[in-house]
Amino acid sequence: MRHLRLTFDDGPDPVWTPRILDALSAASLRATFFVIAKRAAAHSAIVRRACAEGHAVELHCDAHIRHTELSPHEGREDTRRALARLAALDVRPARWRTPWGVQAAWTADVAREHNLELCHWDVDTHDWRGDSAESMLAATGPSLRDDAVVLLHDGLGPGARREGCGETLRYVRLLAGELTA
Ligand SMILES: [Zn+2]
């Protein structure tokens, strides 16, 4: 295994995202951040840093709500708001991972309207549960084949059962060790 696609949802977080960027940079790894636009606007320096360091900043949402709980109009408005906030930071997403990966009947239409490619994942670390880095590595190890898309979180979304993203940071460091070994 030499190449994984690390993806981070729910950031940027003022504490954890810079630490994860440090860890990626130390290992010369590039990742994709599916951001909550509201948080991106509040922490624009972190978004600029991620872009400057060669990471992709893509769309997660503005409000973190399942698409199945939004009307088509509400979904369109959330997406429009999110893209406007990101455009103000010179970020123009090409990819979209929806909250919880949930799509509604309208999701594909809205994606098409904004030329967004809908993205899922291959390997779920379940890092939001608060598992240790070692147990996440043990659980995901067998599925970490070349080019697998790995789901991680650099911020705490609704339903997160942990206080911070320290184990995600440690998981990235452990994985980086294996990738560069
Ligand atoms: Zn999320």
Side-chain angles (χ1 to χ4, degrees):
M1 173 189 68
R2 284 191 301 274
H3 189 251
L4 291 172
R5 298 172 193 275
L6 300 182
T7 65
F8 296 87
D9 289 9
D10 295 354
D13 179 276
V15 171
W16 298 106
T17 308
R19 294 183 192 180
I20 286 168
L21 288 171
D22 289 343
L24 293 170
S25 164
S28 303
L29 295 175
R30 296 216 169 84
T32 299
F33 292 86
F34 290 97
V35 298
I36 297 179
K38 224 181 261 180
R39 292 182 177 176
H43 306 292
S44 57
I46 300 174
V47 173
R48 291 205 175 87
R49 178 184 164 191
C51 293
E53 293 180 0
H55 304 290
V57 176
E58 305 284 3
L59 175 65
H60 196 35
C61 57
D62 200 47
H64 200 288
I65 301 170
R66 284 177 183 79
H67 282 191
T68 45
E69 292 168 15
L70 296 174
S71 71
H73 175 72
E74 289 168 334
R76 266 196 180 79
E77 282 301 295
D78 186 84
T79 307
R80 190 194 52 73
R81 257 193 315 273
L83 291 173
R85 286 194 215 269
L86 294 176
L89 305 176
D90 277 327
V91 172
R92 288 174 179 78
R95 292 182 289 159
W96 188 12
R97 179 181 284 146
T98 62
W100 290 284
V102 170
Q103 297 182 20
W106 52 265
T107 306
D109 290 338
V110 175
R112 213 171 301 117
E113 287 160 21
H114 294 286
N115 282 319
L116 294 165
E117 179 196 347
L118 286 163
C119 297
H120 209 67
W121 57 81
D122 301 314
V123 179
D124 190 348
T125 60
H126 298 288
D127 57 345
W128 55 272
R129 280 195 311 222
D131 298 358
S132 73
E134 287 78 7
S135 67
M136 290 195 281
L137 201 60
T140 57
S143 342
L144 294 176
R145 49 174 174 68
D146 260 345
D147 280 331
V149 177
V150 183
L151 173 63
L152 296 146
H153 295 82
D154 62 323
L156 301 177
R161 296 207 296 258
R162 58 179 182 171
E163 301 295 312
C165 303
E167 293 306 309
T168 299
L169 177 62
R170 290 186 54 242
Y171 177 88
V172 169
R173 290 193 184 129
L174 290 174
L175 209 54
E178 300 214 344
L179 286 169
T180 51

